[in-house]
Amino acid sequence: MKQTQHIYFCTDDKYVPYTAVTMASILDNATPQTAICFYLIGNDIRSQTKEKINELKKIHPVQIKYITVDENKFQDFSMSMGYLSQAAFYRFLIPSLAPSNVDKVLYLDGDMIVTGALDDLFAQNLEGYKVGAVEEKNAIQAKNLNLKSGRYFNSGMLLLNLKEIDKQHFLTDAAAYFQKHRSKIISHDQDILNGLWDGKVKFLEQKYNVPSFVKTEPKPLIIHYTGFMKKPWLSFSRHPQKKKWLKYLQMTAFKKNALEMFLFKIKEILSRLFLFKKDPTHTNYYIVHFFGIRFGIGKKNELQR
């Protein structure tokens, strides 16, 4: 009997091409004995987009399900989102949306790729914990949010233990935490989840969520392209694992044709000579690249996402 891995994404039609790359990387590395079911939570995914997503089934057998949400449920989470969309909060619905006979599900951000089978991650023992996640070491929000554990995790990868989470009241609890601590919240959904699950997190190895600022992980299983300037679909991105992302892009129906890839490379070269770009992760921060010299102007005031 095949083991089914239930994997959730929160997205919208504009972001689907990037999410599809994450999905392609999972399917390309899945073991033959593994069954996979993807869930895409989002309201405006067009039928033409869904047709392109269905082409992922050529890589590995997979079920793909679409979930629409009532956006009125998220009125209590009103805040400045920067370059993020309201879809970032949709992950709060996963405990109530998951099949009743499933105890463990995985959530992934759409700016990730997977480099190997996820079997070992799904096999993690989460007894007594609400979630398995990877720590962001020295995160300032651990102190700002007064986390008793003193430890803060990145919410881009969440292995949810549905046996421990209050499925019925989780969204209400998240909204209550936000309203109570909104003056301290910087990193949106991530801060809320850290506050709610403080002391109930099983911290996993770094390899399961390797963000852009971690340089020393030798064998990352999940590469997370955190930080706006590191997004691999941007021509000026300098992420060292950018080529791996482009490889998986070409496995999807959103792939670049020869001309598009050529122009992308030209833009990449030109951006090394001169670039002046606002980083939307922060309110007043700009990136300047001038003939091989790169520096920032302004003040960073948010965590990388």
Side-chain angles (χ1 to χ4, degrees), residues 28 53 104 113 136-137 140 142 183 193 206 215 220 230 240 244 251 260 282 300:
D28 188 55
I53 294 173
K104 191 185 298 180
I113 60 168
E136 279 196 8
K137 299 184 186 301
I140 59 172
S183 63
L193 292 173
Q206 184 73 69
K215 312 295 184 183
K230 297 292 186 178
K244 286 186 178 180
M251 292 184 184
E260 289 171 333
H282 311 277
K300 291 186 176 182

Side-chain angles (χ1 to χ4, degrees), residues 11 19 42 60 88 97-98 114 127 147 185 199 202 207 220 249 262 268 295 305:
T11 189
T19 305
H60 181 93
L97 294 172
V114 172
E127 186 175 355
L147 300 182
I185 289 175
K202 181 174 183 178
K207 68 178 183 179
L249 171 66
F262 173 76
E268 188 175 54
F295 55 93
R305 292 299 301 275

Side-chain angles (χ1 to χ4, degrees), residues 282-302:
H282 311 277
T283 305
N284 295 296
Y285 191 73
Y286 297 84
I287 299 294
V288 180
H289 201 113
F290 186 72
F291 287 89
I293 301 173
R294 190 169 191 168
F295 55 93
I297 300 175
K299 182 179 180 181
K300 291 186 176 182
N301 59 356
E302 290 193 11

Side-chain angles (χ1 to χ4, degrees), residues 206 210-220 226 230 238-241 304:
Q206 184 73 69
V210 182
S212 301
F213 50 83
V214 172
K215 312 295 184 183
T216 57
E217 179 56 44
K219 294 183 178 180
T226 55
K230 297 292 186 178
R238 298 289 182 270
H239 198 288
Q241 303 291 353
Q304 292 195 17

Side-chain angles (χ1 to χ4, degrees), residues 178-228:
F178 172 71
Q179 293 298 329
K180 183 177 180 180
H181 302 278
R182 63 184 307 161
S183 63
K184 299 179 180 179
I185 289 175
I186 296 175
S187 235
H188 312 100
D189 57 282
Q190 186 167 278
D191 284 355
I192 296 170
L193 292 173
N194 270 274
L196 287 175
W197 291 337
D198 185 22
K200 288 292 184 177
V201 181
K202 181 174 183 178
F203 286 96
L204 305 178
E205 295 175 71
Q206 184 73 69
K207 68 178 183 179
Y208 292 121
N209 186 355
V210 182
S212 301
F213 50 83
V214 172
K215 312 295 184 183
T216 57
E217 179 56 44
K219 294 183 178 180
L221 181 67
I222 301 177
I223 298 170
H224 193 178
Y225 298 90
T226 55
F228 172 72

Side-chain angles (χ1 to χ4, degrees), residues 29-284:
N29 289 287
T31 53
Q33 66 271 22
T34 302
I36 296 175
C37 186
F38 288 142
Y39 302 82
L40 273 68
I41 307 175
N43 285 353
D44 65 343
I45 302 176
R46 299 176 298 166
S47 58
Q48 304 97 305
T49 305
K50 291 179 181 179
E51 290 176 6
K52 291 184 176 182
I53 294 173
N54 281 334
E55 293 194 28
L56 292 170
K57 295 177 181 180
K58 297 176 182 178
I59 304 174
H60 181 93
V62 60
Q63 294 184 67
I64 304 173
K65 300 183 179 182
Y66 299 90
I67 301 172
T68 57
V69 300
D70 180 1
E71 293 186 353
N72 292 324
K73 292 183 177 181
F74 298 92
Q75 290 180 344
D76 292 336
F77 297 98
S78 176
M79 67 182 299
S80 174
M81 296 296 290
Y83 72 97
L84 296 176
S85 74
Q86 196 76 9
F89 293 117
Y90 291 173
R91 72 196 74 190
F92 294 162
L93 295 174
I94 295 175
S96 63
L97 294 172
S100 58
N101 62 337
V102 175
D103 292 333
K104 191 185 298 180
V105 301
L106 178 66
Y107 167 81
L108 293 177
D109 275 352
D111 59 350
M112 294 177 152
I113 60 168
V114 172
T115 66
L118 292 172
D119 301 13
D120 288 345
L121 175 57
F122 271 92
Q124 292 288 327
N125 182 359
L126 298 182
E127 186 175 355
Y129 299 99
K130 295 181 184 293
V131 66
V134 174
E135 183 178 8
E136 279 196 8
K137 299 184 186 301
N138 303 315
I140 59 172
Q141 284 301 82
K143 183 177 181 180
N144 290 345
L145 297 172
N146 299 314
L147 300 182
K148 293 180 180 178
S149 66
R151 304 181 74 181
Y152 183 91
F153 63 85
N154 181 283
S155 66
M157 186 286 293
L158 302 170
L159 187 63
L160 301 175
N161 182 3
L162 301 178
K163 294 187 295 184
E164 294 285 338
I165 297 172
D166 186 345
K167 302 177 184 179
Q168 185 176 357
H169 301 105
F170 184 70
L171 182 62
T172 303
D173 292 343
Y177 183 88
F178 172 71
Q179 293 298 329
K180 183 177 180 180
H181 302 278
R182 63 184 307 161
S183 63
K184 299 179 180 179
I185 289 175
I186 296 175
S187 235
H188 312 100
D189 57 282
Q190 186 167 278
D191 284 355
I192 296 170
L193 292 173
N194 270 274
L196 287 175
W197 291 337
D198 185 22
K200 288 292 184 177
V201 181
K202 181 174 183 178
F203 286 96
L204 305 178
E205 295 175 71
Q206 184 73 69
K207 68 178 183 179
Y208 292 121
N209 186 355
V210 182
S212 301
F213 50 83
V214 172
K215 312 295 184 183
T216 57
E217 179 56 44
K219 294 183 178 180
L221 181 67
I222 301 177
I223 298 170
H224 193 178
Y225 298 90
T226 55
F228 172 72
M229 300 300 291
K230 297 292 186 178
K231 303 304 183 191
W233 53 84
L234 300 174
S235 59
F236 51 79
S237 170
R238 298 289 182 270
H239 198 288
Q241 303 291 353
K242 182 176 180 177
K243 287 184 178 180
K244 286 186 178 180
W245 188 91
L246 290 170
K247 181 188 79 169
Y248 289 116
L249 171 66
Q250 296 306 97
M251 292 184 184
T252 76
F254 303 96
K255 63 185 179 182
K256 296 180 183 294
N257 60 38
L259 177 59
E260 289 171 333
M261 186 61 76
F262 173 76
L263 294 175
F264 184 82
K265 294 294 184 181
I266 292 297
K267 290 180 180 178
E268 188 175 54
I269 293 170
L270 292 176
S271 70
R272 293 177 182 273
L273 301 178
F274 180 75
L275 174 73
F276 183 82
K277 194 78 174 178
K278 186 181 187 305
D279 184 344
T281 314
H282 311 277
T283 305
N284 295 296

